[in-house]
Amino acid sequence: MVPLAALIKEEARSEKLEKPLLRYGCASQSKKGEDFFLMKTDCVRASGNPSSTFAVFAVLDGHNGNAAAIYTRDNLLNHVLSAVPRGLSRDEWLHALPRALVAGFVKTDKEFQTKGQTSGTTVTFVIIDGWTVTVASVGDSRCILDSQGGIVSLLTVDHRLEENVEERERVTASGGEVGRLSIVGGAEIGPLRCWPGGLCLSRSIGDIDVGEFIVPIPYVKQVKLSSAGGRLIIASDGIWDALSSESAAKSCRGLPAELAARQVVKEALRTRGLKDDTTCIVVDIIPPDRSVKPPQPPPKKMNKFKSFILGKKSKEPANKLAKKLSSVGTVEELFEEGSAMLAERLGNDSSGGTTTSGLFTCAICQVDLAPSEGVSVHAGSIFSTSSKPWEGPFLCSDCRDKKDAMEGKRPSGVKVL
């Protein structure tokens, strides 16, 4: 009989051997000093187990000052991890991440708003654990995946009012007004904005002066790469206002990650000039048993006869290609959700969200609650997927107030007694 300790040791060794290598680099050009980033590769799921490491990369594009971006960079990761239950296996941990990311984003926003500062920030937050990539985002920073064969897919959704009809409808339904800036004579100029405040985005962290219908609830997507690996490009809108996803990926193929990040920034500046802060992180996820090679340019076009005999990738729009990724074996989609309603995002908790001490815990800020203090996230919500509003997860009174404000059930900043 093999001792249990030996089995655990062997499992840890196998997991470590199967993990991909990460090669990464970052480049930026500053105009307003409001872009920030995070690169951390020594995070650990289980204390004392070095094989349980994972990496975090993030780009934060601040506006109306840099306070929100700095606070989010320094606190979001801890808030996300505190929302993941203890003692989970790796698969359970990955399964719990999407909900924990929602809780972490909302808690970060809630805490920053208590500081009374009016700045805000976009966030694109990427967690890489083995071959699994989990991306959470608010705003218009973006993360793309460049897979082998030249297939580029979007792992985020842009929350720009100008381009996102669903978000415009949600904001107006929650009490906000959407329109362009009016000038003398009644003419309207510029992109669609939310009023009050004039923000072009429908989701962000911070922005207390705009209204809580501008929510911090992230779009989350989780995918599992094939053993061929791939390249992630995470960047602020200084890149995406100048380059399409396909152009950014194509501009740096064949280059190592650090040079690739510089090349993407260089190409964006060449195309549009330095009109905004411009930040780019490139992460190569590389099979451990292969030489370190960045994604290569796709093969040259074949003639019609060869194309008929050998087959050829169709010239479909990027969004259609992204939807077909799982069918071609490049990547497996594990999770995707973009609802702005907490009742939908936090789901149901049949355990009631209790701790080992018998206390309830707020699903957002993780404070302990007596049974009489917690309010179910589903109570009184028309968006709830639960037929039992007395079930968890539960919220403290402050988080419940914030949920009501985000859903337009009360004016922002008004306390419910």
Side-chain angles (χ1 to χ4, degrees):
M1 180 178 292
V2 180
L4 178 60
L7 287 174
I8 294 176
K9 184 176 181 180
E10 177 63 24
E11 181 180 351
R13 188 179 70 84
S14 299
E15 183 180 352
K16 186 174 182 180
L17 288 175
E18 294 171 358
K19 276 194 170 185
L21 302 174
L22 297 183
R23 298 289 183 266
Y24 55 93
C26 180
S28 64
Q29 286 288 324
S30 177
K31 185 175 180 64
K32 296 182 288 185
E34 295 176 335
D35 270 12
F36 293 85
F37 63 90
L38 174 67
M39 300 191 296
K40 187 174 176 62
T41 59
D42 57 352
C43 305
V44 180
R45 287 194 319 273
S47 179
N49 183 359
S51 68
S52 68
T53 57
F54 64 95
V56 174
F57 300 90
V59 168
L60 310 98
D61 180 1
H63 45 264
N64 197 20
N66 59 19
I70 293 173
Y71 184 85
T72 303
R73 178 197 63 186
D74 295 343
N75 293 278
L76 178 56
L77 175 58
N78 287 337
H79 290 342
V80 171
L81 296 182
S82 69
V84 180
R86 301 293 179 263
L88 301 182
S89 67
R90 178 178 179 272
D91 287 345
E92 291 170 335
W93 190 86
L94 289 170
H95 183 73
L97 261 186
R99 175 170 154 175
L101 283 160
V102 172
F105 270 62
V106 175
K107 181 178 181 180
T108 302
D109 177 76
K110 176 172 171 276
E111 289 192 351
F112 178 73
Q113 288 192 351
T114 64
K115 298 182 178 300
Q117 301 188 59
T118 57
S119 69
T121 187
T122 74
V123 186
T124 296
F125 195 79
V126 181
I127 296 177
I128 303 173
D129 188 327
W131 300 102
T132 302
V133 178
T134 309
V135 184
S137 61
V138 292
D140 57 1
S141 298
R142 192 183 298 175
C143 176
I144 65 171
L145 170 66
D146 186 13
S147 304
Q148 298 298 324
I151 298 177
V152 178
S153 55
L154 194 57
L155 301 184
T156 52
V157 166
D158 287 352
H159 295 126
R160 284 187 172 181
L161 291 166
E162 183 72 36
E163 301 162 6
N164 197 316
V165 177
E166 290 183 4
E167 287 293 279
R168 291 203 298 270
E169 293 175 347
R170 180 189 63 77
V171 167
T172 54
S174 298
E177 295 184 11
V178 175
R180 304 186 194 281
L181 181 65
S182 296
I183 59 175
V184 177
E188 295 185 340
I189 61 171
L192 288 174
R193 300 175 183 272
C194 178
W195 306 96
L199 189 65
C200 300
L201 306 173
S202 61
R203 303 195 194 190
S204 67
I205 286 179
D207 291 309
I208 192 172
D209 58 326
V210 178
E212 289 195 75
F213 34 77
I214 303 301
V215 301
I217 300 175
Y219 168 88
V220 178
K221 187 161 189 171
Q222 186 177 74
V223 298
K224 184 176 182 180
L225 305 188
S226 73
S227 58
R231 163 172 284 179
L232 299 176
I233 300 178
I234 313 158
S236 63
D237 67 341
I239 296 293
W240 308 118
D241 285 343
L243 303 175
S244 67
S245 298
E246 291 74 16
S247 296
K250 184 178 180 181
S251 71
C252 64
R253 286 186 182 130
L255 297 175
E258 188 170 350
L259 291 179
R262 295 178 189 174
Q263 180 60 31
V264 173
V265 171
K266 180 180 178 181
E267 186 67 16
L269 295 181
R270 185 190 67 81
T271 302
R272 188 170 179 261
L274 184 60
K275 296 185 178 181
D276 195 1
D277 292 335
T278 304
T279 301
C280 177
I281 297 175
V282 171
V283 185
D284 288 335
I285 304 172
I286 304 167
D289 57 346
R290 297 186 186 179
S291 59
V292 180
K293 285 186 177 181
Q296 302 299 309
K300 293 182 178 180
K301 293 183 179 179
M302 298 177 286
N303 61 39
K304 290 184 179 180
F305 178 74
K306 286 185 178 180
S307 176
F308 176 77
I309 297 297
L310 300 178
K312 183 179 180 182
K313 187 181 71 173
S314 61
K315 295 182 179 179
E316 296 184 72
N319 59 339
K320 291 186 178 181
L321 287 174
K323 292 179 181 178
K324 290 191 173 185
L325 285 176
S326 58
S327 65
V328 299
T330 303
V331 63
E332 177 186 358
E333 186 175 298
L334 303 178
F335 180 91
E336 180 180 21
E337 181 58 70
S339 170
M341 302 302 167
L342 271 182
E344 293 184 2
R345 301 304 297 276
L346 296 180
N348 300 324
D349 185 359
S350 58
S351 68
T354 57
T355 64
T356 55
S357 63
L359 295 173
F360 290 84
T361 303
C362 175
I364 298 298
C365 63
Q366 311 306 311
V367 299
D368 290 339
L369 306 166
S372 61
E373 294 177 327
V375 181
S376 172
V377 71
H378 304 291
S381 175
I382 63 173
F383 304 103
S384 171
T385 58
S386 172
S387 59
K388 300 177 180 179
W390 57 85
E391 288 187 345
F394 292 92
L395 303 178
C396 67
S397 60
D398 283 349
C399 289
R400 174 66 191 207
D401 289 349
K402 183 165 184 63
K403 171 184 177 292
D404 287 347
M406 290 190 295
E407 294 178 1
K409 294 178 183 177
R410 65 170 178 82
S412 175
V414 176
K415 296 286 290 183
V416 177
L417 301 177

